[in-house]
Amino acid sequence: MDKTVTNPLRGITMKLLSILLFLCMQILIKEGGKGLATGEITFFRSLFAMPAILAWLALRGEFRSAFRTDNPFGHFKRGFIGVISMSFGFYALVHLPLPEAIVIGYALPLFTVIAGALLLGEEVRAYRWSAVAVGFVGVMIILWPKLDLFTSGRMGAGEFAGSIAALLSAGMAALAMVQVRQLVRTENTPTIVLYFSLSATLLSLLTIPFGWPAMTWEQALMLMGAGFFGGVAQILLTESYRYADVSTIAPFEYTSIIGGAAVGYLLFGETLSASLFFGAAVIIGSGVFIIWRESRRGVKRPSAG
């Protein structure tokens, strides 16, 4: 039964609130994750999202039904890919200025088009391929100065690796999105959200043999808070698509650069470079065009996970 309700203003409000809480999560990870292993950060982010998710399921009356699944292996694949994406993303957050980590993540719609065409056989015509190509030009505008600085030895490997990690995170997130598109054919959204958090928590534990540095109480509290904020943000994001179409809500994702730039400057003394500003404009423009074209064709991007 269709449980969606047409209320675009409510959907947009929930989307904006999710962006705010995701930004809080990113700040806490950036500050609290210094010197820690990405698997360690991923574990805290996933585990402490669970209380919010379980409470949400209980309020919806779906606590028990959410655990029922006909495709456990599909959830495992989605979780495995998602953990890799999260780990790359958290590495980028710790090693890059916050606005850069956010903007490079905007490459997700570009990778999603490619993954949909190659793995799902979705038809992609010249307009969207052109938008993807233009979007990657924007990515290169951002990355090129870092490549020059890295090869000349004037920039440490950490920031260059952070840029590559942010791009890999977006690429892996697109593969996870393909898996979600396959899961929604037989699985409910609450089930997908629940099993992703469960699988991410368990899979991140497998990184313990690679070394989890000891953390301070302050770091532990920040990462716990990051997990909780991330869980609530995911719920708000999922619920926002109940009230408005993807084409209405998705473009608001790009407002996160405003908050990211403000927070980066006020808390971390980070400023927007010219290459980041122009690259962001190109990526956002191509992303909005892709969203518009997909809405015209009736392509829905699932929000779960």
Side-chain angles (χ1 to χ4, degrees), residues 96-107:
L96 278 180
L98 184 59
E100 291 192 26
I102 291 173
V103 169
I104 296 175
Y106 289 163

Side-chain angles (χ1 to χ4, degrees), residues 132-296:
V132 169
V134 170
F136 279 113
V137 170
V139 172
M140 287 307 303
I141 290 173
I142 296 171
L143 296 183
W144 194 258
K146 295 186 180 298
L147 180 61
D148 286 347
L149 290 172
F150 178 70
T151 54
S152 67
R154 288 180 290 165
M155 183 180 73
E159 190 167 332
F160 177 73
S163 301
I164 301 302
L167 196 60
L168 290 173
S169 176
M172 295 303 296
L175 294 179
M177 193 67 69
V178 168
Q179 186 61 31
V180 172
R181 286 183 178 178
Q182 294 174 329
L183 283 171
V184 294
R185 296 171 183 170
T186 58
E187 304 288 296
N188 294 322
T189 296
T191 302
I192 297 172
V193 172
L194 173 64
Y195 274 98
F196 173 65
S197 291
L198 284 172
S199 58
T201 301
L202 296 175
L203 287 168
S204 59
L205 286 173
L206 299 178
T207 65
I208 291 178
F210 298 97
W212 280 18
M215 64 176 67
T216 65
W217 277 107
E218 290 82 0
Q219 285 180 304
L221 289 173
M222 282 189 279
L223 293 183
M224 289 177 191
F228 180 76
F229 282 135
V232 176
Q234 188 61 59
I235 291 167
L236 288 169
L237 176 62
T238 302
E239 287 290 294
S240 70
Y241 289 92
R242 186 186 303 276
Y243 298 99
D245 294 335
V246 173
S247 58
T248 300
I249 293 175
F252 286 90
E253 177 66 33
Y254 298 114
T255 61
S256 60
I257 187 55
I258 300 173
V263 169
Y265 178 76
L266 294 173
L267 295 185
F268 306 111
E270 301 164 348
T271 57
L272 295 177
S273 64
S275 61
L276 180 64
F277 179 83
F278 289 113
V282 173
I283 296 170
I284 291 171
S286 63
V288 170
F289 180 80
I290 288 170
I291 292 167
W292 176 74
R293 288 292 298 182
E294 290 192 353
S295 69
R296 289 281 300 271

Side-chain angles (χ1 to χ4, degrees), residues 13-26 45 48-49 52-53 56 193 225-241 253 303 305:
T13 300
M14 297 180 85
K15 171 69 173 180
L16 293 175
L17 286 173
S18 76
I19 289 171
L20 176 62
L21 291 178
F22 274 129
L23 182 59
C24 292
M25 179 199 77
Q26 291 168 324
R45 159 63 179 88
F48 288 94
I53 292 171
W56 172 61
V193 172
F228 180 76
F229 282 135
V232 176
Q234 188 61 59
I235 291 167
L236 288 169
L237 176 62
T238 302
E239 287 290 294
S240 70
Y241 289 92
E253 177 66 33
S303 60

